[in-house]
mmCIF file of all heavy atoms in Angstrom:
data_model
loop_
_atom_site.group_PDB
_atom_site.id
_atom_site.type_symbol
_atom_site.label_atom_id
_atom_site.label_comp_id
_atom_site.label_asym_id
_atom_site.label_seq_id
_atom_site.Cartn_x
_atom_site.Cartn_y
_atom_site.Cartn_z
ATOM 1 N N HIS A 10 64.031 109.316 15.529
ATOM 2 C CA HIS A 10 65.222 109.425 16.392
ATOM 3 C C HIS A 10 64.862 109.459 17.876
ATOM 4 O O HIS A 10 63.780 109.909 18.254
ATOM 5 C CB HIS A 10 65.985 110.721 16.063
ATOM 6 C CG HIS A 10 66.722 110.670 14.770
ATOM 7 N ND1 HIS A 10 67.907 111.327 14.556
ATOM 8 C CD2 HIS A 10 66.455 110.043 13.593
ATOM 9 C CE1 HIS A 10 68.332 111.117 13.328
ATOM 10 N NE2 HIS A 10 67.459 110.345 12.717
ATOM 11 N N PHE A 13 67.255 113.167 21.557
ATOM 12 C CA PHE A 13 68.568 113.633 22.022
ATOM 13 C C PHE A 13 68.462 115.024 22.656
ATOM 14 O O PHE A 13 69.060 115.306 23.688
ATOM 15 C CB PHE A 13 69.540 113.731 20.836
ATOM 16 C CG PHE A 13 69.979 112.416 20.274
ATOM 17 C CD1 PHE A 13 69.434 111.920 19.095
ATOM 18 C CD2 PHE A 13 70.961 111.675 20.913
ATOM 19 C CE1 PHE A 13 69.852 110.712 18.569
ATOM 20 C CE2 PHE A 13 71.386 110.457 20.392
ATOM 21 C CZ PHE A 13 70.823 109.982 19.211
ATOM 22 N N TRP A 17 69.903 116.822 26.161
ATOM 23 C CA TRP A 17 70.871 117.933 26.179
ATOM 24 C C TRP A 17 70.310 119.136 26.921
ATOM 25 O O TRP A 17 71.041 119.885 27.582
ATOM 26 C CB TRP A 17 71.306 118.304 24.766
ATOM 27 C CG TRP A 17 72.157 117.232 24.157
ATOM 28 C CD1 TRP A 17 71.916 116.548 23.000
ATOM 29 C CD2 TRP A 17 73.364 116.680 24.697
ATOM 30 N NE1 TRP A 17 72.907 115.608 22.790
ATOM 31 C CE2 TRP A 17 73.801 115.680 23.815
ATOM 32 C CE3 TRP A 17 74.113 116.937 25.843
ATOM 33 C CZ2 TRP A 17 74.962 114.930 24.039
ATOM 34 C CZ3 TRP A 17 75.266 116.193 26.080
ATOM 35 C CH2 TRP A 17 75.679 115.206 25.183
ATOM 36 N N ILE A 53 78.584 120.042 13.730
ATOM 37 C CA ILE A 53 77.449 119.267 13.191
ATOM 38 C C ILE A 53 76.916 118.361 14.299
ATOM 39 O O ILE A 53 77.638 117.510 14.806
ATOM 40 C CB ILE A 53 77.882 118.424 11.978
ATOM 41 C CG1 ILE A 53 78.473 119.317 10.885
ATOM 42 C CG2 ILE A 53 76.691 117.615 11.442
ATOM 43 C CD1 ILE A 53 79.016 118.537 9.681
ATOM 44 N N GLY A 54 75.656 118.543 14.671
ATOM 45 C CA GLY A 54 75.068 117.788 15.787
ATOM 46 C C GLY A 54 75.549 118.378 17.099
ATOM 47 O O GLY A 54 76.127 117.690 17.943
ATOM 48 N N CYS A 55 75.271 119.663 17.289
ATOM 49 C CA CYS A 55 75.890 120.426 18.398
ATOM 50 C C CYS A 55 75.355 120.034 19.771
ATOM 51 O O CYS A 55 75.985 120.358 20.790
ATOM 52 C CB CYS A 55 75.723 121.921 18.158
ATOM 53 S SG CYS A 55 74.029 122.425 17.799
ATOM 54 N N GLY A 56 74.213 119.352 19.866
ATOM 55 C CA GLY A 56 73.708 118.863 21.159
ATOM 56 C C GLY A 56 73.412 119.984 22.142
ATOM 57 O O GLY A 56 72.442 120.727 21.996
ATOM 58 N N HIS A 60 80.420 122.494 23.157
ATOM 59 C CA HIS A 60 81.687 122.410 22.411
ATOM 60 C C HIS A 60 81.814 123.553 21.399
ATOM 61 O O HIS A 60 82.928 123.974 21.099
ATOM 62 C CB HIS A 60 81.820 121.023 21.780
ATOM 63 C CG HIS A 60 81.501 119.951 22.774
ATOM 64 N ND1 HIS A 60 82.319 119.682 23.851
ATOM 65 C CD2 HIS A 60 80.399 119.173 22.932
ATOM 66 C CE1 HIS A 60 81.750 118.747 24.602
ATOM 67 N NE2 HIS A 60 80.588 118.423 24.061
ATOM 68 N N ASP A 76 72.078 121.331 14.239
ATOM 69 C CA ASP A 76 71.545 120.075 14.754
ATOM 70 C C ASP A 76 70.193 119.830 14.096
ATOM 71 O O ASP A 76 69.495 120.771 13.710
ATOM 72 C CB ASP A 76 71.388 120.121 16.282
ATOM 73 C CG ASP A 76 71.395 118.725 16.919
ATOM 74 O OD1 ASP A 76 70.418 117.971 16.713
ATOM 75 O OD2 ASP A 76 72.391 118.399 17.604
ATOM 76 N N LEU A 77 69.827 118.563 14.001
ATOM 77 C CA LEU A 77 68.530 118.189 13.424
ATOM 78 C C LEU A 77 67.400 118.412 14.421
ATOM 79 O O LEU A 77 66.261 118.695 14.034
ATOM 80 C CB LEU A 77 68.598 116.694 13.040
ATOM 81 C CG LEU A 77 67.346 116.042 12.506
ATOM 82 C CD1 LEU A 77 66.967 116.624 11.151
ATOM 83 C CD2 LEU A 77 67.557 114.525 12.368
ATOM 84 N N ASP A 78 67.711 118.281 15.704
ATOM 85 C CA ASP A 78 66.711 118.266 16.771
ATOM 86 C C ASP A 78 66.436 119.700 17.268
ATOM 87 O O ASP A 78 67.367 120.403 17.672
ATOM 88 C CB ASP A 78 67.281 117.383 17.895
ATOM 89 C CG ASP A 78 66.301 117.105 19.015
ATOM 90 O OD1 ASP A 78 65.662 118.068 19.480
ATOM 91 O OD2 ASP A 78 66.195 115.947 19.433
ATOM 92 N N SER A 81 67.815 120.536 20.716
ATOM 93 C CA SER A 81 69.273 120.757 20.736
ATOM 94 C C SER A 81 69.578 122.176 20.254
ATOM 95 O O SER A 81 70.452 122.854 20.806
ATOM 96 C CB SER A 81 69.995 119.756 19.828
ATOM 97 O OG SER A 81 69.914 118.456 20.323
ATOM 98 N N VAL A 103 69.272 122.109 11.034
ATOM 99 C CA VAL A 103 69.456 121.540 9.691
ATOM 100 C C VAL A 103 70.121 120.173 9.831
ATOM 101 O O VAL A 103 70.971 119.967 10.693
ATOM 102 C CB VAL A 103 70.284 122.509 8.792
ATOM 103 C CG1 VAL A 103 71.599 122.900 9.420
ATOM 104 C CG2 VAL A 103 70.535 121.923 7.412
ATOM 105 N N SER A 104 69.703 119.252 8.977
ATOM 106 C CA SER A 104 70.296 117.914 8.988
ATOM 107 C C SER A 104 71.638 117.944 8.261
ATOM 108 O O SER A 104 71.816 118.684 7.292
ATOM 109 C CB SER A 104 69.361 116.933 8.289
ATOM 110 O OG SER A 104 70.019 115.700 8.095
ATOM 111 N N VAL A 105 72.551 117.080 8.688
ATOM 112 C CA VAL A 105 73.848 116.972 8.009
ATOM 113 C C VAL A 105 73.641 116.677 6.525
ATOM 114 O O VAL A 105 74.424 117.125 5.682
ATOM 115 C CB VAL A 105 74.727 115.877 8.682
ATOM 116 C CG1 VAL A 105 74.105 114.495 8.587
ATOM 117 C CG2 VAL A 105 76.126 115.856 8.100
ATOM 118 N N PHE A 106 72.555 115.960 6.205
ATOM 119 C CA PHE A 106 72.323 115.595 4.806
ATOM 120 C C PHE A 106 72.001 116.804 3.934
ATOM 121 O O PHE A 106 72.162 116.766 2.729
ATOM 122 C CB PHE A 106 71.200 114.552 4.712
ATOM 123 C CG PHE A 106 71.501 113.305 5.486
ATOM 124 C CD1 PHE A 106 70.800 112.993 6.644
ATOM 125 C CD2 PHE A 106 72.523 112.453 5.084
ATOM 126 C CE1 PHE A 106 71.099 111.855 7.378
ATOM 127 C CE2 PHE A 106 72.833 111.312 5.815
ATOM 128 C CZ PHE A 106 72.116 111.011 6.968
ATOM 129 N N TRP A 122 81.062 115.394 16.921
ATOM 130 C CA TRP A 122 81.427 114.401 17.955
ATOM 131 C C TRP A 122 80.214 113.549 18.330
ATOM 132 O O TRP A 122 79.229 114.053 18.882
ATOM 133 C CB TRP A 122 81.955 115.128 19.197
ATOM 134 C CG TRP A 122 82.985 114.329 19.965
ATOM 135 C CD1 TRP A 122 84.336 114.534 19.944
ATOM 136 C CD2 TRP A 122 82.751 113.216 20.845
ATOM 137 N NE1 TRP A 122 84.957 113.603 20.755
ATOM 138 C CE2 TRP A 122 84.019 112.780 21.320
ATOM 139 C CE3 TRP A 122 81.603 112.540 21.254
ATOM 140 C CZ2 TRP A 122 84.164 111.717 22.208
ATOM 141 C CZ3 TRP A 122 81.749 111.459 22.123
ATOM 142 C CH2 TRP A 122 83.020 111.065 22.594
ATOM 143 N N GLY A 123 80.306 112.265 18.016
ATOM 144 C CA GLY A 123 79.254 111.334 18.443
ATOM 145 C C GLY A 123 77.923 111.547 17.733
ATOM 146 O O GLY A 123 76.867 111.351 18.346
ATOM 147 N N VAL A 124 77.964 111.923 16.473
ATOM 148 C CA VAL A 124 76.750 112.330 15.760
ATOM 149 C C VAL A 124 76.463 111.459 14.539
ATOM 150 O O VAL A 124 75.335 110.951 14.379
ATOM 151 C CB VAL A 124 76.894 113.808 15.283
ATOM 152 C CG1 VAL A 124 75.714 114.232 14.428
ATOM 153 C CG2 VAL A 124 77.087 114.735 16.472
ATOM 154 N N HIS A 127 74.450 108.396 14.416
ATOM 155 C CA HIS A 127 73.054 108.498 14.874
ATOM 156 C C HIS A 127 72.142 109.117 13.810
ATOM 157 O O HIS A 127 71.041 109.566 14.132
ATOM 158 C CB HIS A 127 72.973 109.393 16.121
ATOM 159 C CG HIS A 127 73.482 108.761 17.377
ATOM 160 N ND1 HIS A 127 73.202 107.464 17.747
ATOM 161 C CD2 HIS A 127 74.248 109.262 18.382
ATOM 162 C CE1 HIS A 127 73.776 107.202 18.915
ATOM 163 N NE2 HIS A 127 74.425 108.260 19.313
ATOM 164 N N THR A 128 72.611 109.182 12.571
ATOM 165 C CA THR A 128 71.852 109.917 11.551
ATOM 166 C C THR A 128 70.946 109.030 10.712
ATOM 167 O O THR A 128 70.108 109.536 9.976
ATOM 168 C CB THR A 128 72.823 110.624 10.594
ATOM 169 O OG1 THR A 128 73.718 109.624 10.062
ATOM 170 C CG2 THR A 128 73.622 111.703 11.307
ATOM 171 N N ARG A 210 85.374 115.678 28.388
ATOM 172 C CA ARG A 210 84.723 116.741 27.597
ATOM 173 C C ARG A 210 83.579 117.428 28.340
ATOM 174 O O ARG A 210 82.665 117.956 27.736
ATOM 175 C CB ARG A 210 84.196 116.168 26.273
ATOM 176 C CG ARG A 210 85.232 115.448 25.435
ATOM 177 C CD ARG A 210 84.627 114.672 24.273
ATOM 178 N NE ARG A 210 83.884 115.505 23.369
ATOM 179 C CZ ARG A 210 82.548 115.452 23.258
ATOM 180 N NH1 ARG A 210 81.832 114.631 23.993
ATOM 181 N NH2 ARG A 210 81.935 116.222 22.402
ATOM 182 N N MET A 212 81.281 116.020 30.189
ATOM 183 C CA MET A 212 80.017 115.265 30.177
ATOM 184 C C MET A 212 79.586 114.831 31.589
ATOM 185 O O MET A 212 80.294 115.038 32.561
ATOM 186 C CB MET A 212 80.180 114.038 29.260
ATOM 187 C CG MET A 212 80.393 114.405 27.805
ATOM 188 S SD MET A 212 78.959 115.224 27.073
ATOM 189 C CE MET A 212 79.457 116.908 27.016
ATOM 190 N N ASP A 220 71.693 108.700 27.034
ATOM 191 C CA ASP A 220 72.061 108.863 25.621
ATOM 192 C C ASP A 220 72.531 107.528 25.036
ATOM 193 O O ASP A 220 72.171 107.171 23.920
ATOM 194 C CB ASP A 220 73.182 109.914 25.536
ATOM 195 C CG ASP A 220 73.595 110.215 24.111
ATOM 196 O OD1 ASP A 220 74.348 109.414 23.516
ATOM 197 O OD2 ASP A 220 73.184 111.241 23.588
HETATM 198 C C1 LIG B 301 75.097 112.078 21.026
HETATM 199 S S1 LIG B 301 74.617 113.689 20.574
HETATM 200 C C2 LIG B 301 76.203 114.508 20.466
HETATM 201 C C3 LIG B 301 76.109 115.989 20.776
HETATM 202 C C4 LIG B 301 77.418 116.773 20.757
HETATM 203 N N1 LIG B 301 78.090 116.677 19.495
HETATM 204 C C5 LIG B 301 78.339 116.358 21.869
HETATM 205 O O1 LIG B 301 79.417 115.829 21.606
HETATM 206 O O2 LIG B 301 77.986 116.563 23.044
HETATM 207 C C6 LIG B 301 74.142 113.499 18.883
HETATM 208 C C7 LIG B 301 73.504 114.736 18.281
HETATM 209 O O3 LIG B 301 73.396 114.547 16.865
HETATM 210 C C8 LIG B 301 72.174 115.101 16.444
HETATM 211 N N2 LIG B 301 71.796 114.542 15.126
HETATM 212 C C9 LIG B 301 71.246 113.337 14.860
HETATM 213 N N3 LIG B 301 71.008 113.220 13.538
HETATM 214 C C10 LIG B 301 71.444 114.361 12.967
HETATM 215 C C11 LIG B 301 71.468 114.848 11.623
HETATM 216 N N4 LIG B 301 70.992 114.120 10.603
HETATM 217 N N5 LIG B 301 71.977 116.072 11.383
HETATM 218 C C12 LIG B 301 72.454 116.838 12.423
HETATM 219 N N6 LIG B 301 72.439 116.430 13.701
HETATM 220 C C13 LIG B 301 71.936 115.219 13.977
HETATM 221 C C14 LIG B 301 71.232 114.764 17.563
HETATM 222 O O4 LIG B 301 70.048 115.533 17.525
HETATM 223 C C15 LIG B 301 72.102 115.022 18.794
HETATM 224 O O5 LIG B 301 71.987 116.337 19.258
#
Side-chain angles (χ1 to χ4, degrees):
H10 287 213
F13 289 102
W17 290 122
I53 302 176
C55 51
H60 313 291
D76 203 291
L77 176 67
D78 188 313
S81 292
V103 54
S104 170
V105 62
F106 301 110
W122 211 103
V124 175
H127 286 317
T128 55
R210 305 169 59 250
M212 295 295 104
D220 183 281

